[in-house]
Amino acid sequence: MEYPYWRLISLGLLVSTLLIPAGLIRSAAANGCEDGPAASADGDSDLASPPEPERLTLQQRREMARLGAIARGDDWAEAKAAIGKLEAFGETGRRLRSQAVRQWLQRDRGIVQAGLRAVRDRSRLKAMQQQMEQHRGEAREHLQRLNRDGVDTAREYRQTLLEMNKVLAQAHTRMAPTIEAMARRVQLLDWWNEIEGTDHHLFTDESEDALWKQLEQQWQLDRDQVARIMDFNRGRRPGDENLAALWFHIACRRIEAWNETIRPLMDDEEWTNARLVNEYREALGILPYELDARLIQAARRHSREMTQLGYFSHTSPTEGLRSHADRMRKAGYPRPLSENIAYGRRGGEATFRQWFNSPGHHRNMIRENATSLGVGRWRHHWTQKMGTDRRLMTLSPEQRESIELKGEMLPPSRR
């Protein structure tokens, strides 16, 4: 059976209701691997929906009210789509668009000013970023020649980098909303001038130029640089180090947000394992994996088969599922890379440590060319699947709808 990708979240919610805590499993350990802040809205009295024209049906009026509420909400992606759809509702839709755009522009101005007050000088931050990049480079160089004797050193690098990244992430978290607000300001101002015309006292060219000038003076960022920071660019970071650290932070948060939508398809231990892998990758300066439902299913199916047939291997006895690549393609994933398997550990964190302590598994988890991950367990068997296909989060909704998860939709293990 094949499942359109857009249905997976609702299926995941159903799956999550089936979960029970995993029991304590005592087994000998074994393992294997195979290569292959939003500010509050202004309380304008004109934000209430205006009277509806008699020519609209009740259903149309309800839809317009719904879109108006979304357009004034806190989710920019949803608001952007709703503002565009309101154009079809004539004069009343125009007024709702005007209210929403005005609210976003006023709210974002407050976000920008708060961000500029919070981070007035980037010189100390830049010094920390340079130190972080030096440690990352040393750690990645060490991992290229990792053997069992070097695992303790890798563990020390990981702990240091996680602590440094936590400090840097706090600063970038204060800066990111300002960058995002300035980036969408271009679209919002285009809408505002289209709706209200250019002859108005709000959001004048002079006031907008002053905002950009303040950003450039304090953070050395102009319009073009802000646009480059916000461009995911298929995971290719800007070469300018003034942009790269902020770009990387925002890109990681985008992947994190995508992964949260996949979380209902996983049990808590699978999620913990994937989260630890991605925290480690981010600390190393490598983009986190995007969780992919196809790889989750391929991993879980292999773990179940190893449990049911009583074997532990990357090579399946089942025709058509012999290799890790066969199993990924069978689930609908087109570009397989590698697989980790483990046996004898119940928890996601313990299994992460098990793979971390094994050089082959370790390298699989941090491959820089890999984009996608699936984690699936069945009782005391664990599997990770890694792939290199284009990230689904970068595709349009229409493109994502064309992608199908093939084969059985297997819920998480109940034991």
Side-chain angles (χ1 to χ4, degrees), residues 199-257:
D199 185 19
H200 55 78
H201 67 283
L202 294 173
F203 320 119
T204 63
D205 290 344
E206 292 77 9
S207 64
E208 293 302 311
D209 288 343
L211 206 58
W212 281 104
K213 185 176 181 180
Q214 189 177 2
L215 184 73
E216 189 165 2
Q217 288 175 340
Q218 290 187 212
W219 293 0
Q220 295 78 53
L221 296 174
D222 58 25
R223 288 174 170 84
D224 177 66
Q225 290 171 316
V226 166
R228 288 166 62 192
I229 289 172
M230 292 303 298
D231 182 5
F232 188 75
N233 196 26
R234 296 195 179 187
R236 294 188 291 269
R237 74 187 70 199
D240 185 344
E241 68 175 29
N242 187 43
L243 313 181
L246 263 173
W247 177 92
F248 183 75
H249 173 82
I250 291 173
C252 288
R253 302 291 74 75
R254 288 179 174 179
I255 297 169
E256 188 175 69

Side-chain angles (χ1 to χ4, degrees), residues 15-261:
V15 166
S16 65
T17 65
L18 302 177
L19 302 180
I20 63 173
L24 179 63
I25 296 173
R26 297 180 179 178
S27 313
N31 55 112
C33 70
E34 184 169 325
D35 287 345
S40 61
D42 294 49
D44 293 3
S45 60
D46 63 345
L47 290 182
S49 297
E52 307 295 345
E54 293 182 2
R55 62 184 176 83
L56 294 179
T57 66
L58 177 61
Q59 183 178 357
Q60 288 173 320
R61 291 198 297 270
R62 287 175 174 171
E63 175 64 7
M64 187 169 60
R66 185 187 71 84
L67 290 172
I70 295 173
R72 298 190 298 272
D74 295 328
D75 188 308
W76 168 239
E78 292 183 357
K80 182 178 179 181
I83 291 170
K85 292 177 181 178
L86 282 169
E87 190 174 6
F89 290 89
E91 176 60 20
T92 307
R94 186 196 71 80
R95 282 183 283 173
L96 288 175
R97 293 178 74 215
S98 176
Q99 292 164 8
V101 171
R102 177 181 174 183
Q103 178 172 305
W104 273 97
L105 284 167
Q106 290 175 329
R107 179 168 47 191
D108 279 354
R109 180 179 284 168
I111 289 173
V112 171
Q113 292 170 342
L116 292 172
R117 286 194 300 269
V119 183
R120 296 182 179 275
D121 183 6
R122 289 185 67 197
S123 58
R124 181 171 175 271
L125 180 58
K126 287 181 179 180
M128 293 174 60
Q129 290 169 352
Q130 291 172 352
Q131 185 181 19
M132 179 72 163
E133 288 307 314
Q134 180 180 346
H135 278 74
R136 282 170 167 168
E138 293 172 359
R140 291 197 296 265
E141 183 179 351
H142 173 74
L143 293 174
Q144 288 178 0
R145 55 181 188 276
L146 182 67
N147 55 33
R148 289 195 177 273
D149 294 335
V151 169
D152 287 342
T153 301
R155 192 177 298 111
E156 292 172 2
Y157 272 124
R158 174 177 175 263
Q159 187 59 40
T160 299
L161 289 172
L162 285 172
E163 292 171 359
M164 293 179 70
N165 192 57
K166 183 178 180 180
V167 175
L168 278 175
Q170 291 173 348
H172 290 145
T173 297
R174 292 194 296 269
M175 297 177 70
T178 293
I179 301 301
E180 293 163 355
M182 293 302 288
R184 63 177 167 252
R185 209 159 183 85
V186 176
Q187 173 69 80
L188 287 165
L189 286 168
D190 284 345
W191 274 334
W192 180 257
N193 291 330
E194 170 200 331
I195 297 167
E196 299 295 336
T198 58
D199 185 19
H200 55 78
H201 67 283
L202 294 173
F203 320 119
T204 63
D205 290 344
E206 292 77 9
S207 64
E208 293 302 311
D209 288 343
L211 206 58
W212 281 104
K213 185 176 181 180
Q214 189 177 2
L215 184 73
E216 189 165 2
Q217 288 175 340
Q218 290 187 212
W219 293 0
Q220 295 78 53
L221 296 174
D222 58 25
R223 288 174 170 84
D224 177 66
Q225 290 171 316
V226 166
R228 288 166 62 192
I229 289 172
M230 292 303 298
D231 182 5
F232 188 75
N233 196 26
R234 296 195 179 187
R236 294 188 291 269
R237 74 187 70 199
D240 185 344
E241 68 175 29
N242 187 43
L243 313 181
L246 263 173
W247 177 92
F248 183 75
H249 173 82
I250 291 173
C252 288
R253 302 291 74 75
R254 288 179 174 179
I255 297 169
E256 188 175 69
W258 167 269
N259 287 345
E260 283 289 345
T261 69

Side-chain angles (χ1 to χ4, degrees), residues 230-415:
M230 292 303 298
D231 182 5
F232 188 75
N233 196 26
R234 296 195 179 187
R236 294 188 291 269
R237 74 187 70 199
D240 185 344
E241 68 175 29
N242 187 43
L243 313 181
L246 263 173
W247 177 92
F248 183 75
H249 173 82
I250 291 173
C252 288
R253 302 291 74 75
R254 288 179 174 179
I255 297 169
E256 188 175 69
W258 167 269
N259 287 345
E260 283 289 345
T261 69
I262 306 300
R263 184 173 183 173
L265 301 175
M266 309 174 74
D267 71 24
D268 289 344
E269 297 302 329
E270 292 169 338
W271 172 260
T272 295
N273 186 269
R275 177 180 56 78
L276 290 170
V277 172
N278 278 342
E279 285 179 355
Y280 184 36
R281 287 173 68 89
E282 181 176 348
L284 286 167
I286 303 169
L287 281 179
Y289 284 118
E290 174 188 272
L291 295 178
D292 191 299
R294 295 167 295 179
L295 295 182
I296 293 170
Q297 285 299 309
R300 194 177 289 153
R301 292 170 192 172
H302 187 55
S303 293
R304 184 181 68 167
E305 183 181 273
M306 287 191 293
T307 299
Q308 293 179 340
L309 300 186
Y311 74 94
F312 180 73
S313 173
H314 293 288
T315 303
S316 167
T318 303
E319 189 65 34
L321 300 175
R322 298 289 190 193
S323 70
H324 74 277
D326 291 336
R327 295 187 285 273
M328 293 189 213
R329 292 193 180 101
K330 195 76 171 180
Y333 190 86
R335 297 188 65 184
L337 178 62
S338 57
E339 175 181 85
N340 283 345
I341 58 175
Y343 174 84
R345 299 297 180 102
R346 179 178 64 86
E349 183 174 357
T351 305
F352 169 78
R353 290 198 302 267
Q354 187 176 348
W355 283 326
F356 186 98
N357 293 335
S358 171
H361 302 86
H362 197 133
R363 281 189 287 268
N364 275 346
M365 292 192 293
I366 60 168
R367 292 183 184 276
E368 294 192 43
N369 65 323
T371 57
S372 310
L373 173 69
V375 180
R377 73 181 180 108
W378 200 264
R379 299 185 184 177
H380 44 280
H381 282 88
W382 281 82
T383 306
Q384 283 182 338
K385 300 280 192 181
M386 297 82 166
T388 61
D389 199 21
R390 184 176 174 182
R391 294 176 185 266
L392 295 177
M393 57 176 280
T394 66
L395 303 181
S396 68
E398 294 75 21
Q399 289 173 316
R400 284 198 290 269
E401 285 184 7
S402 69
I403 294 172
E404 295 176 329
L405 191 161
K406 299 179 180 179
E408 181 183 6
M409 190 70 176
L410 187 64
S413 172
R414 302 185 185 185
R415 297 174 59 185

